[in-house]
Amino acid sequence: MEIKRVMVIGAGQMGGGIAQVCAQAGFDVLLNDMNQDALDKGMKRIEKLLTRAVDKERINESDKTDTLNRLSKSSQLQDAHNCDLVIEAVVENMDVKEKVFGELDNIVPKHAILASNTSSLPITEIAAATKRPDQVIGMHFMNPVPVMKLVEIIRGLQTSDETYNVIKEMTDKLSKVPVEVEDFPGFVANRILMPMINEAIYTVYEGVSSVEDVDTVMKLGMNHPMGPLTLADFIGLDTCLYIMEVLYEGFGDSKYRPCPLLRKYVKAGWLGKKSGRGFYQY
Ligand SMILES: CC(=O)CC(=O)SCCNC(=O)CCNC(=O)[C@H](O)C(C)(C)COP(=O)(O)OP(=O)(O)OC[C@H]1O[C@@H](n2cnc3c(N)ncnc32)[C@H](O)[C@@H]1OP(=O)(O)O
Ligand SMILES: NC(=O)C1=CN([C@@H]2O[C@H](COP(=O)(O)OP(=O)(O)OC[C@H]3O[C@@H](n4cnc5c(N)ncnc54)[C@H](OP(=O)(O)O)[C@@H]3O)[C@@H](O)[C@H]2O)C=CC1
């Protein structure tokens, strides 16, 4: 099966990045969000990043124009009726994802593949919301999508070899590096990363050190490009909390309990960079 037309659902920080790299790789892309404001902001951000790439001479003006011409906005799921692949990047919530996949299953053509950019939720369960579980797969991009090379490809229990091979080939075309991962909570990336971020939050919560100092320790001591609390703000504290909850529930092990300070910040609406306040102010 050849993929030509792609819909990306959710015009947040991940959906926008995924739509951009797909359009840059030559695919026709529909960026979908039910929130018109998010859609407009997502498109503007893509344009800004492409302009920056032109300024840095990584692409030329006509690459930028061609990429933008391959991108369109969509506010209705029905627009997926002629797409070969849909990549979902809405909020990290199983009920919302199941609803989106259930609806998509009745809209997209028979041959279409449905992928989720979920960072931790079981692909097998998302697939069960459709009548095509063999054509459902996890395609977990890293943030910021245009910069990070990795894509975790997660096979659900019923994902077919054909679906896996099409998505692996697609990932290669996006100039990303695929790593095949089994369907377990948090996959590989977040099973390792998120407990580290949660522990950094506990370190502040227990008064061991300040936010700035925890970040400095990990930046200068371990050569991490960002300290864990800056990274948590960058990912989104809501997303960090949802992932910790998936790990905690999925493994039933207290070592994954989310730090109460993380819960408190999310309840306050301090979601990190995207809301203007998290461990830092933006
Ligand atoms: C939660 C999950 O499910 C999984 C995840 O994604 S976990 C998060 C994984 N990501 C990380 O760990 C990111 C860690 N941070 C980094 O690697 C770096 O700090 C960074 C790449 C984000 C920024 O790098 P930096 O050297 O500090 O800053 P800067 O020089 O401004 O940026 C480097 C390049 O990245 C680009 N960039 C930075 N932020 C960007 C963004 N949000 N979107 C697109 N491009 C971005 C810049 O344009 C720049 O490219 P050019 O040099 O070509 O202009
Ligand atoms: N942040 C990160 O670093 C990473 C996140 N992910 C995963 O990517 C997904 C998205 O995360 P992220 O981009 O950070 O989140 P954001 O909050 O930035 O964006 C989510 C977007 O999806 C929209 N949305 C929510 N529900 C629906 C729906 N039913 N239909 C259409 N659009 C909807 C939201 O609209 P509104 O604002 O109106 O709610 C918002 O625009 C999550 O599953 C997350 O776990 C994966 C890798 C890294």
Side-chain angles (χ1 to χ4, degrees), residues 13 143-144 193-194 196-198 200-201 204 210-220 224-237 240 262 265 270-275 277-282:
Q13 48 181 348
N143 189 9
L193 174 70
M194 220 33 89
M196 184 199 69
I197 288 177
N198 196 45
I201 302 172
V204 171
S210 67
V211 168
E212 290 79 6
D213 285 349
V214 167
D215 273 353
T216 301
V217 166
M218 298 307 284
K219 263 172 46 183
L220 301 188
H224 287 197
M226 284 173 165
L229 300 168
T230 304
L231 183 56
D233 275 359
F234 178 61
I235 290 168
L237 300 189
C240 292
L262 176 60
Y265 278 20
W270 292 9
L271 306 184
K273 207 172 169 195
K274 66 183 169 188
S275 75
R277 174 108 206 221
F279 290 101
Y280 297 90
Q281 262 184 309
Y282 300 89

Side-chain angles (χ1 to χ4, degrees), residues 168-238:
K168 185 178 175 302
E169 200 178 302
M170 162 97 184
T171 306
D172 291 335
K173 283 188 187 152
L174 300 179
S175 305
K176 303 283 181 201
V177 179
V179 171
E180 186 181 351
V181 175
E182 291 299 323
D183 190 16
F184 278 90
F187 317 126
V188 172
N190 283 318
R191 184 171 177 170
I192 297 172
L193 174 70
M194 220 33 89
M196 184 199 69
I197 288 177
N198 196 45
E199 204 57 34
I201 302 172
Y202 264 111
T203 311
V204 171
Y205 178 63
E206 291 172 4
V208 180
S209 201
S210 67
V211 168
E212 290 79 6
D213 285 349
V214 167
D215 273 353
T216 301
V217 166
M218 298 307 284
K219 263 172 46 183
L220 301 188
M222 283 81 196
N223 240 359
H224 287 197
M226 284 173 165
L229 300 168
T230 304
L231 183 56
D233 275 359
F234 178 61
I235 290 168
L237 300 189
D238 51 342

Side-chain angles (χ1 to χ4, degrees), residues 56-177:
K56 292 249 170 177
E57 295 183 348
R58 274 187 282 117
I59 60 172
N60 60 35
E61 197 60 50
S62 83
D63 293 332
K64 176 186 157 187
T65 310
D66 291 348
T67 300
L68 289 174
N69 285 341
R70 282 192 288 268
L71 270 163
S72 326
K73 290 191 242 183
S74 149
S75 52
Q76 293 187 341
L77 275 193
Q78 199 59 43
D79 297 332
H81 69 93
N82 57 357
C83 288
D84 309 301
L85 168 68
V86 179
I87 306 175
E88 166 277 315
V90 303
V91 63
E92 188 73 346
N93 174 298
M94 184 54 98
D95 292 342
V96 177
K97 294 205 192 275
E98 279 180 339
K99 186 165 176 286
V100 169
F101 274 73
E103 285 177 26
L104 279 172
D105 194 30
N106 294 321
I107 295 171
V108 296
K110 249 186 159 167
H111 70 271
I113 292 177
L114 303 179
S116 175
N117 179 54
T118 176
S119 34
S120 59
L121 293 164
I123 298 301
T124 304
E125 205 173 323
I126 295 173
T130 73
K131 289 185 255 5
R132 62 179 86 202
D134 53 319
Q135 288 161 238
V136 176
I137 194 159
M139 207 177 176
H140 183 208
F141 291 82
M142 302 293 129
N143 189 9
V145 179
V147 179
M148 307 302 276
K149 294 303 262 181
L150 176 72
V151 177
E152 283 187 306
I153 303 185
I154 304 106
R155 299 178 76 133
L157 194 61
Q158 300 181 70
T159 308
S160 69
D161 288 344
E162 196 199 338
T163 299
Y164 175 78
N165 289 331
V166 170
I167 293 303
K168 185 178 175 302
E169 200 178 302
M170 162 97 184
T171 306
D172 291 335
K173 283 188 187 152
L174 300 179
S175 305
K176 303 283 181 201
V177 179

